[in-house]
Amino acid sequence: MLRRIKKINGISVTERELCAFPISHTSMALYYDKYDNLFIYIDEEKKAKYVIHPNYKIQINRKNKTTIFLLTASRLKSLENFYNDKKRYEKIQKRS
């Protein structure tokens, strides 16, 4: 989320935005990526996306593998590009 290359390319989110995600995600649109089995929150106002990898596999100490919950974030250059891929993303409606 805060990698140097993302900052150079202008697509990183700020630390403040990242820390606010647990609260601010409730006002964002939620999508399901059918191809990669991911959940994506879109912050239209700040043009940011937060991707949740619910079953990310990671290797620890070259021996053990485990499954973790991973969150990545980046700035969207264009909301239009994201919304154009309707076959890939399915909007999840929040229930009242």
Side-chain angles (χ1 to χ4, degrees), residues 25-76:
H25 81 279
T26 57
S27 64
M28 297 179 195
L30 175 60
Y31 291 86
Y32 176 68
D33 181 335
K34 294 183 264 187
Y35 296 171
D36 292 328
N37 296 318
L38 306 171
F39 295 93
I40 302 171
Y41 284 93
I42 300 294
D43 184 343
E44 291 181 346
E45 181 182 318
K46 296 179 181 171
K47 292 186 180 178
K49 74 175 179 178
Y50 299 85
V51 181
I52 296 175
H53 307 258
N55 296 307
Y56 188 81
K57 304 227 185 307
I58 189 170
Q59 188 169 352
I60 301 171
N61 298 332
R62 297 185 184 180
K63 298 178 190 175
N64 303 326
K65 289 185 179 180
T66 189
T67 302
I68 63 170
F69 180 92
L70 179 68
L71 172 69
T72 61
S74 61
R75 190 85 50 215
L76 291 168

Side-chain angles (χ1 to χ4, degrees), residues 14-23:
T14 66
E15 289 181 34
R16 182 174 288 205
E17 289 173 300
L18 187 57
C19 290
F21 176 75
I23 296 168

